Every structure is written in C-alpha cells, then in structure tokens.
Amino acid sequence: TFRDAHQCLWSTRMTTEHMLPVARKLDEAGFGTLECMGLVQYDGSVLFLNQNPLERLRLLRERTTHTPIRVAVRSNMLRGFSPVGFDATELFIERQIANGARDIIFLESMHDWNIIEPGIQLAQRLGARTTALVLYNIGPGYDDEYYAQISREAIRRFGVDKIMFADAGGTLTLERVRTLIPAIRDAIGETPLEFNTHCLTGLGPLLAIEAAVLGADCIFTAVEPMANGPSVPGSQMIARNLRELGFEVTLDDRALKEVGTYLEAIAEREDKPLGVAAEYDPHQYQTQFAGGALANMVSQLEAAGIADRLPEVLEEIARVRLDLGSPVMATPFPAIVAAQAVMNVVQGERYRVVPDEVKKYVCGYFGKLRIAVDPDVADRVIENGSRDILLTPPPLEPVVPALRRRYPGVDDDELLLRYMYGDEKFEGLTPTRVDDCCSVQHPVHELLEGLSKRKGKTHVHVSRKDFSFTAL
C-alpha cells in the first residue's frame, strides 16, 4: 500500500502525511511485512514532493512496532539507471537499516547474483532479513528449470530468508503458475516463498490464490481500494477467498476497511485514481510493461503534452523490447525501453535518437545479456548513441571518500541524499507535517477543535471550492 500500489496508481505521489495517520493501523492488521520504500519512492519523494525519504522511513518506523518494514534495493544503481561503486550502494543499505528497515529485498533484473552478493551479505551482517527477487519474463530460455535454478542458487549462495517470485508486468497465466510455483517450491525447500503479481490483465487475484494453493507462503497485496488495475491484488479479497479455501489468515478485516475508507477520502480530496478491476487485455503479453512504470510514463507524456500518443508508444514498446533481446520488464528496463520507444515515435524514425541508458544496455553496462540484441539495432544504437559512452564499461570507482571530503562533518543521511540528488534538491526538502489531530477522516468540527489546540494560533481560515469563511 505504501510502495507499489501508489507507484502504480498515483505515479508515486503518496506523501508521508498521507501515510502516517494509518501506519499504526496497518502495523496492527496482521501483515507479514510492510513494504514502503524503493528507489522509485526516493525519486518521487525528493524530485516531485520535496520530501525526505529517510525521514519518512523514520516516522513510519516510530508508528510500526510489530511488523517489519521492508525496502527494496535496486541492483547496484541509485538515482537513475547508471551502476555505481559498491561503497555507494553500501551506504544506501546501511542508511535504510539505520532508519528503521528490518527487511531488505534485492532486485537484480538480470538475475546476476554476483552484482548483489555484497549487498546481501552487508544487510545480513547488519541484522536485517533478506529477500531475493526472482522476476518472471516471457522469452527464450525463461522456463521452469531456469527459475528453479536461480532460486536454488540464491538459497545456496546467500541463505536468504525468503524468495519472492514477481510478475511485474502482470503477464503470468494460470497454466504457467501451475508449473512454475511447484518447481520453485521444490527447489528452495523450507525457505518461504512470496508471490507477487499485478492485475493489468485482470488475472492477478486468480493467480495469487492459485499460487497459495500450490505452495506460496505469502501473497503481496495492497489494501483496497489501492489494489487492482495496474496495481497488485487486494488484501481483503485475497484474505476472504483464502479463508473460504480453508487457509488461516490473520488479517484484521475491520482495520483494513478503515484504512480503505481513509484512502478513498484522500483520493477524492486530491483527485487521484483508485484501483478498478482490469478487463482481460492480451496486448499486455507483448509489451509486458510493469504497472508502476506505466503510471509514471503516462504522467511524463501528459507533462510533455503528448498523452494522445500513448497507444503508439505502447505498440513501439513491444517492438523495442524484442529488438533489445526481450529483457525482463522490471526496473530499470521498462523505463529504458519506454524512453527509446518515445524517441522513436516522436522522431518518426527508429533509433535516430538514442538515450544514454539504451546504449549502456547494449554495451553491457547492466550485465551480460541473456538474449542478444538484434545486430542491426545494436549497430544503430552504437552509431547514434552518445560518443561519451565507452563501448566497454569502465570499472566502477569508489565514491564515498570523495563525498566525505566534499561534505566534511555531514551526517550519512544527508551525505547520501546530496550524492543522489544534488545540493539544490536536498536543500529544498521540506519537513513532514506531523499532526495526528488533522485527517481527512475527521469532520470539520473535529478539525477545528484540533486546530484550536495548537499553541500560538488565533485565526483559522476554512475554505473549499464552493464557499470560504474565516473564524477567529
């Protein structure tokens, strides 16, 4: 609810103030973990909301005493999609744990465990639980044995606490679930298995329930109405159906209903969409475009004034993905594929303009490609891409020593955020307004009563679209 759901539905624009009034209720509702932060949430917080993501983590942790908070680490990338030296990733992981994260999920879309091995080991040394993310893909070689093998390797090499099998593009079918889940379940033994799918084809809830029947220990959900559509299945609906099948589910339905009512009020007040069950759409199997990436891309097209060209862009995404060797459509690759697709549509000529990340992908900056790029496309990408990008990836140099010299005496939270977003964005961050007496759930008279308790306040101005008055 605090991470993937608003990423998919609200373009990652849920504020810390939106979250705090219901954090304790979610904490007491009976979830196994509360996932609240990833690199996309960092970008959304700093770049669009002017909020400090580490402050958000601390404030949520203060209100979350029963349920572990989980954050996601994206390979060896921080802001943007360029790999960085491990010491920067190490600083990022350490600050998540220092500010309250107790579970770290590691995402590496190439499934190159060598890249994330140091991060997993660090998180384990610092006492956090670790989860390895295994990502579903439609493409040659992505069969049941492949997924069983990489899941087994993650257990053997790292002893992670959990495997999450994730369908970011919502393109799993019932037939694949019925073979994949048993294969992974057998490969990982007693290690818990979490199942994650999105609802872009309308099948997400059915797939999640089937995965539970076949041996998944945990289902990744969001509180309704922040579920469905491009988001993940609804917590209430999944719990209800699992109980009917004979499973014991400990969620507090009344608490979730209260949270859902609160989120509906936020959406109505701020004109944000809520999740609606999607119709079956076979075209999703061509684009495999992830729900969170879709919401952000639509927002960017609207800002550029070309939202009407979305259908063309989606068609081109499917073609570009095949050109580039059918990469797993999970961070960072949906954004990279979409950037090239937008350029192709806007320019009217394919690969005439090549974003830097696309050339880096073709040149192996993100790791060894499982499926080769179309040779003609690779030639055009290298020819038209920036000359500043070397054909062979340079070694990744340490960054933290230079940062400490540049910012002497600065604490590590500030050091990390200045490195990721620059001085101007850091200095523009605004403190979170922590005020539990004011909430969209409260009637106006309760709101006024709460405001009257604030010391030093003598005037209150209340307004809405159709009237305005001032009370002394």
Side-chain angles (χ1 to χ4, degrees):
T1 307
F2 287 167
R3 209 279 298 169
D4 205 1
H6 74 99
Q7 180 175 328
C8 293
L9 292 170
W10 294 0
S11 302
T12 324
R13 302 300 195 269
M14 186 180 284
T15 66
T16 306
E17 288 86 353
H18 291 152
M19 299 176 184
L20 296 183
V22 289
R24 286 192 176 91
K25 202 166 291 293
L26 284 176
D27 178 38
E28 296 168 355
F31 289 105
T33 56
L34 292 175
E35 187 170 304
C36 69
M37 194 72 70
L39 266 297
V40 177
Q41 282 63 46
Y42 265 70
D43 291 349
S45 297
V46 176
L47 299 178
F48 301 105
L49 302 175
N50 298 319
Q51 293 196 309
N52 186 326
L54 291 170
E55 180 188 48
R56 175 183 298 178
L57 189 55
R58 289 194 298 274
L59 291 171
L60 287 174
R61 182 58 188 167
E62 288 173 5
R63 291 156 175 79
T64 307
T65 58
H66 304 290
T67 314
I69 287 179
R70 182 163 71 189
V71 303
V73 173
R74 184 174 67 197
S75 189
N76 59 346
M77 291 168 263
L78 294 183
R79 184 191 169 189
F81 301 129
S82 294
V84 298
F86 173 68
D87 63 340
T89 304
E90 183 178 46
L91 178 64
F92 180 83
I93 294 170
E94 192 273 331
R95 296 324 298 163
Q96 308 320 296
I97 296 171
N99 283 285
R102 296 295 176 264
D103 190 334
I104 311 291
I105 186 166
F106 289 87
L107 181 158
E108 211 306 296
S109 295
M110 293 283 196
H111 296 136
D112 185 345
W113 297 145
N114 292 321
I115 292 176
I116 60 174
E117 180 173 12
I120 291 175
Q121 293 174 342
L122 172 63
Q124 290 172 335
R125 289 197 301 272
L126 294 176
R129 301 194 314 192
T130 54
T131 300
L133 187 61
V134 173
L135 291 153
Y136 179 63
N137 191 28
I138 299 175
Y142 289 91
D143 55 15
D144 293 359
E145 178 51 38
Y146 169 73
Y147 285 109
Q149 182 266 318
I150 59 174
S151 301
R152 186 185 303 113
E153 183 182 359
I155 301 298
R156 180 185 61 81
R157 289 182 60 174
F158 315 124
V160 291
D161 297 283
K162 184 189 290 184
I163 295 290
M164 176 193 276
F165 179 75
D167 173 27
T171 54
L172 266 171
T173 63
L174 199 57
E175 292 76 16
R176 283 307 306 274
V177 166
R178 286 172 174 166
T179 61
L180 271 169
I181 296 302
I184 298 172
R185 175 78 279 164
D186 182 64
I188 66 175
E190 297 299 316
T191 301
L193 173 62
E194 182 169 342
F195 181 80
N196 174 330
T197 190
H198 289 67
C199 304
L200 292 101
T201 64
L203 298 179
L206 175 63
L207 301 175
I209 292 167
E210 187 72 5
V213 171
L214 293 168
D217 303 284
C218 180
I219 305 297
F220 190 67
T221 66
V223 175
E224 299 166 18
M226 294 299 293
N228 294 306
S231 185
V232 297
S235 307
Q236 298 96 310
M237 190 278 286
I238 294 296
R240 182 173 62 252
N241 281 275
L242 289 177
R243 289 185 185 117
E244 291 177 0
L245 291 172
F247 288 88
E248 180 181 347
V249 183
T250 57
L251 285 180
D252 182 342
D253 294 29
R254 181 177 297 180
L256 297 191
K257 184 177 181 180
E258 292 178 17
V259 172
T261 299
Y262 168 81
L263 293 170
E264 284 181 352
I266 290 283
E268 181 178 3
R269 185 186 73 183
E270 304 199 4
D271 194 27
K272 295 184 182 297
L274 295 173
V276 178
E279 295 183 353
Y280 179 73
D281 182 6
H283 185 255
Q284 183 66 22
Y285 294 93
Q286 275 71 55
T287 65
Q288 297 194 53
F289 207 59
L294 178 61
N296 282 288
M297 185 184 73
V298 170
S299 176
Q300 291 161 9
L301 292 178
E302 289 173 346
I306 55 172
D308 60 312
R309 306 195 72 175
L310 176 63
E312 294 175 74
V313 171
L314 290 174
E315 292 288 344
E316 184 61 15
I317 283 172
R319 289 191 286 269
V320 170
R321 178 178 172 274
L322 290 175
D323 290 344
L324 297 181
S326 300
V328 174
M329 290 300 271
T331 303
F333 302 126
I336 292 173
V337 170
Q340 185 64 69
V342 170
M343 288 296 101
N344 291 354
V345 168
V346 171
Q347 295 293 324
E349 179 181 343
R350 306 188 78 224
Y351 302 103
R352 178 183 176 186
V353 174
V354 175
D356 289 353
E357 290 78 13
V358 175
K359 184 172 180 180
K360 288 180 178 180
Y361 171 85
V362 169
C363 293
Y365 281 64
F366 299 100
K368 183 180 179 181
L369 305 183
R370 183 167 175 80
I371 302 173
V373 176
D374 178 282
D376 293 335
V377 170
D379 289 344
R380 294 213 68 190
V381 166
I382 291 172
E383 178 183 353
N384 294 333
S386 171
R387 297 291 183 269
D388 294 333
I389 297 173
L390 303 176
L391 298 183
T392 301
L396 299 175
E397 300 294 338
V399 299
V400 173
L403 280 175
R404 296 200 187 282
R405 290 193 295 271
R406 181 178 177 183
Y407 301 107
V410 166
D411 68 62
D412 282 356
D413 284 0
E414 181 176 336
L415 194 73
L416 176 67
L417 294 174
R418 285 186 181 275
Y419 168 65
M420 292 176 67
Y421 298 103
D423 297 337
E424 183 177 352
K425 289 304 297 183
F426 176 81
E427 289 163 6
L429 299 179
T430 57
T432 299
R433 300 183 304 277
V434 181
D435 190 350
D436 293 333
C437 78
C438 299
S439 164
V440 294
Q441 289 178 298
H442 293 165
V444 172
H445 71 274
E446 290 186 13
L447 175 63
L448 292 172
E449 182 181 358
L451 290 170
S452 70
K453 296 175 182 177
R454 291 183 171 184
K455 294 181 179 180
K457 300 295 182 183
T458 58
H459 295 74
V460 176
H461 179 77
V462 181
S463 65
R464 57 179 247 189
K465 292 181 180 178
D466 53 351
F467 75 88
S468 177
F469 68 87
T470 300
L472 302 180

